[in-house]
Amino acid sequence: GTVHAWQAGEYAAGIRLRYSTFIESAAHISRTWGDSVYVGSHMAGANWCDSVWVHDALMELNGRCSVVVDAGRNVLVERNTIRDTFMHVFDIEPFSDTTEGATNVQFLNNAIGAYGWNKTYVSFLLAAGGIAGSTVKGITLDHNVVAGNNAGYDGKPLGLHVYIETARRTNIAITNNRCDRPADGTKWPGAVMAFAHVDGLTVTGNTQPLASGKLISTSDCTAVVGP
């Protein structure tokens, strides 16, 4: 959770779930080399986790991301305090093959402090990348409060930064989130919230002052609701 953390500790998560169902956690997770919570598959990518609830927890000072979903459905992450995240706060990244993915994943009412301390990668509040052709649908980021800070990578002011660009993602809602610190929308990817190849995109009710640049950019998106 500092600029000196080692992001290569990918598998050293505080809680690492693979092919698990009906999991609940309200743990204090601190100083892990890897992610705070990882939700994935076991051997075959089609073996997803199902029904995971992470709530009322403290997650801090990790070496990668706070919550990662590589293969999970019905995942609810709510009312957590998250601070000093080394890379992304929330990361959806099916990476092994197209049988991995994420459906019905909700990040709700979390209090988020500094993130993106790393100097190697651009970091986001929510990133939804991974392999093209994998299924990622029904993702909600709602009523989260972000303190904002300057990124370790390029020093840009971070806030409600979201990046979703892998084809194709479906039914993405970024709603009612708040950051009162001005954020940068000029450096790559060219906006605070950048979306491409999304079918069913809702971006409404968010509060984010701009230091410079654009708040939202879209490319090859359909059924867009927002400002």
Side-chain angles (χ1 to χ4, degrees):
T2 73
V3 295
H4 304 294
W6 185 59
Q7 72 274 3
E10 183 169 3
Y11 300 106
I15 296 176
R16 180 171 172 80
L17 305 177
R18 302 175 68 194
Y19 197 18
S20 303
T21 58
F22 296 104
I23 302 296
E24 177 184 358
S25 172
H28 175 188
I29 303 172
S30 180
R31 297 187 181 278
T32 58
W33 278 29
D35 308 311
S36 296
V37 177
Y38 173 86
V39 179
S41 61
H42 177 67
M43 305 303 287
N47 292 334
W48 291 19
C49 292
D50 193 346
S51 302
V52 177
W53 183 25
V54 181
H55 65 94
D56 302 291
L58 172 60
M59 291 177 273
E60 61 178 353
L61 292 162
N62 58 43
R64 279 178 49 86
C65 305
S66 290
V67 179
V68 176
V69 180
D70 285 342
R73 61 177 60 88
N74 304 317
V75 178
L76 175 58
V77 180
E78 64 175 343
R79 301 190 308 269
N80 300 288
T81 298
I82 301 171
R83 59 196 185 202
D84 289 318
T85 300
F86 183 66
M87 291 170 57
H88 311 315
V89 179
F90 305 123
D91 184 30
I92 296 174
E93 190 181 357
F95 69 95
S96 295
D97 57 57
T98 57
T99 61
E100 291 185 324
T103 63
N104 188 29
V105 177
Q106 302 179 74
F107 304 109
L108 311 178
N109 299 292
N110 298 286
I112 298 160
Y115 71 94
W117 288 127
N118 85 93
K119 295 185 176 182
T120 305
Y121 304 106
V122 178
S123 296
F124 297 92
L125 171 62
L126 169 63
I131 295 175
S134 56
T135 298
V136 173
K137 65 180 181 180
I139 310 302
T140 301
L141 182 75
D142 181 73
H143 276 103
N144 299 281
V145 177
V146 179
N149 60 284
N150 291 342
Y153 179 77
D154 54 12
K156 74 179 179 185
L158 291 171
L160 303 182
H161 281 74
V162 176
Y163 183 53
I164 299 175
E165 54 79 32
T166 301
R168 301 198 62 90
R169 300 316 189 204
T170 307
N171 296 337
I172 306 295
I174 312 297
T175 54
N176 306 309
N177 302 286
R178 184 180 190 93
C179 179
D180 293 327
R181 191 175 189 264
D184 178 90
T186 57
K187 295 183 175 65
W188 186 88
V192 175
M193 303 182 196
F195 305 94
H197 318 302
V198 178
D199 298 318
L201 173 64
T202 301
V203 185
T204 60
N206 301 289
T207 300
Q208 176 62 79
L210 278 172
S212 56
K214 297 170 61 177
L215 180 61
I216 300 170
S217 69
T218 60
S219 174
D220 186 32
C221 295
T222 65
V224 177
V225 177

